[in-house]
Amino acid sequence: VCCCEYVDRRGRRNHLAACCCDCEELDDGCDRWLTCKSLPPGALERIADTIADRLRVPWFSGAVKINVSLVPPLVLLPVFLHVAALHFLLGLIILTSLPVVVLWYYYLTHRRKERTLFFLSLGLFSLGYMYYVFLREVVPRGHVEYSQVVILTCGLILMLAALSRAKKDPGYLPVPAGNEKPSHQGLPDKSIRGSSSGLHGISGAASSRAVNGEAKGFCRMSAEQPEGVKKDWCTKCQLVRPARAGHCRLCGRCVRRLDHHCVWINSCVGEQNHQAFILALSFFMLTSVYGITLTLHTICRGRTPFMALLYCPGAYSDYSSALSFTCVWYCAIVTAGMGYILLIQLLNISYNVTEREARLALRDNTGRRLLGGLVIDTGLYNRGLLCNWGHFLSLGSSPPQRSAEDIV
């Protein structure tokens, strides 16, 4: 194919010049709209799929498809922030509605079990745009030192490096080779429960084996298989999962020590990338708070950052200060949300429980609510604060060994 040709979703060869032609779904929808007829079920989805398939740009090996979920943050975020900087009331309305829209889109995609790059695009573009506004509007005022800009830049680079590491393999279990589905003949004759999310299943796992690759002898009680925690069979991946592993319905894979699927990195958080995920959140919090402090000290001089965030006289006296103050509030809202996620993660690590295990314990009513419900203690892996953190810091230190029990 040439740079303007591509193979569409129906397997037919197409051209960018004909992207507006031969669209049966769109033609039928327009005819029904003009004749005041209702659309058949699924018509809007088919039209959206057709438009998404034809949204491409020329490239050397053929036209490349553009992910539609990448576009809204790149276009709408600068527009909304610039409009919010025009007046205090506009800023209040927009900054209040933005979190609501993002949460609505999250629940929409979560209910449909769809993967989307919207949140990753929004996060990365927000970082880049906030940094651009800081260099363009705040630094030229002369109140920010060169060393402070270097510190902020280094924090941003470290956060992106940790985020890049968190985007890698979270600890996927190897999929059985071939198309043949493995049989259950090699499994113990006791109980086999076909489950894609449960913690129970096949009994007979040796208690002396390390859990999640943890070295035996590091913390004897946590390294041994706790009584009552067993391996189980995943009907989707057709393999035996080790303890604490789970199946992600968005990724379609089983992950060792699955914590949750994070939409902000568009990947699972598991045994191999949980440390990098916590590191990325920590660097983001430090960098964001530092950038907010520098900006408020510049546009609201003589006030503490907290007081300046609530009341900054003269912030809307000129457009540059208004835009900086609006971006500060946007950063504060995002930082508060990420801070809550980091707090829950740190508490879960302190009690050696994953978010998935806490959710299952709430569903089965088997866990204890602690600290006002912020953490759910399942009682299976909690071996004390120091031992729990030692276990977390040792995750991924040794690659998990592939055995006959893991793949059947």
Side-chain angles (χ1 to χ4, degrees):
V1 294
C2 72
C3 63
C4 296
E5 290 182 319
Y6 64 95
V7 178
D8 61 17
R9 60 193 180 101
R10 295 179 178 177
R12 297 181 299 190
R13 193 164 176 169
N14 215 325
H15 198 279
L16 288 181
C19 64
C20 297
C21 306
D22 191 22
C23 183
E24 299 175 1
E25 294 86 356
L26 186 59
D27 291 341
D28 181 65
C30 291
D31 290 339
R32 287 179 172 271
W33 177 69
L34 292 175
T35 56
C36 299
K37 295 180 180 179
S38 61
L39 293 176
L44 291 178
E45 288 77 4
R46 291 193 296 270
I47 294 175
D49 292 340
T50 302
I51 294 176
D53 185 56
R54 299 186 178 195
L55 187 62
R56 298 172 181 263
V57 293
W59 198 247
F60 300 104
S61 58
V64 178
K65 183 178 178 181
I66 300 176
N67 196 309
V68 181
S69 60
L70 292 173
V71 179
L74 305 182
V75 177
L76 297 181
L77 182 63
V79 173
F80 283 161
L81 290 179
H82 279 275
V83 172
L86 295 176
H87 194 272
F88 171 75
L89 292 179
L90 287 175
L92 183 62
I93 294 173
I94 291 177
L95 293 177
T96 304
S97 60
L98 273 179
V100 176
V101 173
V102 172
L103 287 175
W104 169 80
Y105 186 72
Y106 167 75
Y107 285 116
L108 181 65
T109 55
H110 184 73
R111 187 176 67 251
R112 295 180 178 178
K113 305 301 177 185
E114 297 177 354
R115 296 192 67 178
T116 175
L117 292 175
F118 173 83
F119 299 97
L120 179 61
S121 173
L122 177 62
L124 292 178
F125 185 69
S126 296
L127 287 173
Y129 191 71
M130 295 303 106
Y131 187 69
Y132 167 77
V133 171
F134 179 79
L135 296 180
R136 177 76 179 271
E137 306 293 343
V138 179
V139 174
R141 294 173 179 264
H143 301 296
V144 179
E145 299 179 0
Y146 176 76
S147 59
Q148 293 174 324
V149 178
V150 171
I151 293 174
L152 186 68
T153 305
C154 290
L156 186 62
I157 293 175
L158 291 174
M159 193 276 295
L160 292 177
L163 181 63
S164 175
R165 174 62 186 85
K167 281 283 295 175
K168 295 183 179 178
D169 181 15
Y172 291 123
L173 288 173
V175 179
N179 297 327
E180 297 181 359
K181 291 185 179 181
S183 63
H184 296 158
Q185 296 176 357
L187 300 177
D189 294 330
K190 293 187 179 180
S191 62
I192 300 178
R193 183 174 302 176
S195 168
S196 62
S197 61
L199 293 175
H200 307 290
I202 299 170
S203 61
S207 61
S208 60
R209 291 187 59 188
V211 177
N212 299 323
E214 183 181 2
K216 184 179 180 180
F218 167 74
C219 184
R220 186 174 182 83
M221 290 300 295
S222 62
E224 294 179 351
Q225 181 96 348
E227 185 178 357
V229 179
K230 305 169 185 178
K231 296 185 177 184
D232 65 335
W233 174 261
C234 179
T235 58
K236 301 291 182 62
C237 298
Q238 296 293 298
L239 52 80
V240 182
R241 295 185 304 214
R244 311 190 78 176
H247 183 87
C248 177
R249 289 177 289 181
L250 295 177
C251 297
R253 296 284 298 275
C254 283
V255 182
R256 291 182 179 271
R257 197 183 178 275
L258 175 62
D259 189 84
H260 69 289
H261 181 94
C262 181
V263 296
W264 294 105
I265 64 174
N266 194 33
S267 176
C268 289
V269 176
E271 181 179 280
Q272 299 295 320
N273 67 342
H274 202 169
Q275 296 174 355
F277 178 72
I278 295 297
L279 200 60
L281 281 177
S282 302
F283 278 129
F284 171 80
M285 291 295 298
L286 294 174
T287 305
S288 180
V289 171
Y290 188 64
I292 290 173
T293 303
L294 291 178
T295 305
L296 289 177
H297 276 314
T298 301
I299 62 178
C300 301
R301 299 189 60 82
R303 291 179 175 270
T304 60
F306 180 76
M307 292 301 299
L309 190 63
L310 298 178
Y311 179 66
C312 180
Y316 286 87
S317 58
D318 60 280
Y319 188 76
S320 176
S321 298
L323 180 61
S324 302
F325 188 70
T326 303
C327 291
V328 162
W329 258 107
Y330 175 75
C331 289
I333 294 173
V334 176
T335 303
M338 294 301 169
Y340 176 78
I341 295 176
L342 180 60
L343 175 63
I344 298 299
Q345 287 289 314
L346 296 179
L347 291 176
N348 286 343
I349 294 170
S350 301
Y351 286 89
N352 201 358
V353 61
T354 64
E355 186 174 323
R356 170 179 171 270
E357 292 168 350
R359 186 175 64 252
L360 293 176
L362 283 177
R363 185 193 67 184
D364 300 334
N365 197 22
T366 57
R368 295 187 303 131
R369 292 177 177 268
L370 301 175
L371 302 178
L374 290 177
V375 64
I376 307 298
D377 183 15
T378 60
L380 295 177
Y381 299 95
N382 188 4
R383 299 295 180 262
L385 180 66
L386 294 180
C387 194
N388 292 340
W389 272 95
H391 170 71
F392 173 76
L393 295 176
S394 66
L395 290 177
S397 57
S398 58
Q401 299 193 358
R402 187 173 175 178
S403 64
E405 294 181 353
D406 293 335
I407 302 178
V408 180

